[in-house]
Amino acid sequence: MEHEYIKEMFTRMNLQQIREFIVSGMELDKLDKRTYSERLENGSKHIIKRIKGNARDESELDELYTEFSDATEAYTEVFLEIGMKLGAKLLFQLLYQDE
């Protein structure tokens, strides 16, 4: 007797699946097999092209990169802190709550 639901549970027990469910409330259709580096590079190539296309000179290019970097740093900090809080809440529930 096969228990397909057990296989499905292990398929869903993946950081990308958990992230997607927490952020959007949905399940991923497929996992992204690319490395973190590949995902970051692919996700930023269009904005980098646009920034370079909008800069009049090297000085303005530096300014645009700095402004973009400041914005992404703020998002990174906020979402990392939220993620740590969510992880701590999950750990607390796993360790201390009887259900």
Side-chain angles (χ1 to χ4, degrees):
M1 176 178 186
E2 283 200 35
H3 300 283
E4 286 297 316
Y5 66 94
I6 295 174
K7 289 180 184 177
E8 290 175 19
M9 288 179 356
F10 279 99
T11 299
R12 288 189 301 265
M13 185 46 55
N14 176 282
L15 287 176
Q16 290 180 27
Q17 287 285 14
I18 294 168
R19 178 214 62 219
E20 191 65 21
F21 182 75
I22 289 171
V23 172
S24 71
M26 300 175 69
E27 189 172 317
L28 284 175
D29 293 331
K30 63 179 186 168
L31 298 178
D32 193 336
K33 302 287 187 191
R34 297 174 297 168
T35 65
Y36 287 138
S37 180
E38 291 167 335
R39 289 165 58 191
L40 291 171
E41 187 174 321
N42 186 265
S44 62
K45 68 182 176 185
H46 296 293
I47 192 66
I48 289 173
K49 184 178 178 180
R50 183 178 293 238
I51 288 171
K52 286 180 178 179
N54 286 323
R56 292 181 299 239
D57 55 27
E58 285 296 315
S59 176
E60 187 173 26
L61 182 61
D62 285 344
E63 285 179 37
L64 289 171
Y65 273 135
T66 299
E67 291 169 3
F68 180 73
S69 181
D70 290 346
T72 56
E73 183 179 355
Y75 276 88
T76 300
E77 290 171 353
V78 167
F79 282 102
L80 181 57
E81 290 173 21
I82 290 169
M84 289 188 297
K85 287 180 178 181
L86 291 171
K89 183 175 182 173
L90 180 61
L91 182 60
F92 178 81
Q93 289 176 354
L94 289 169
L95 294 175
Y96 294 107
Q97 291 185 353
D98 290 330
E99 293 186 24

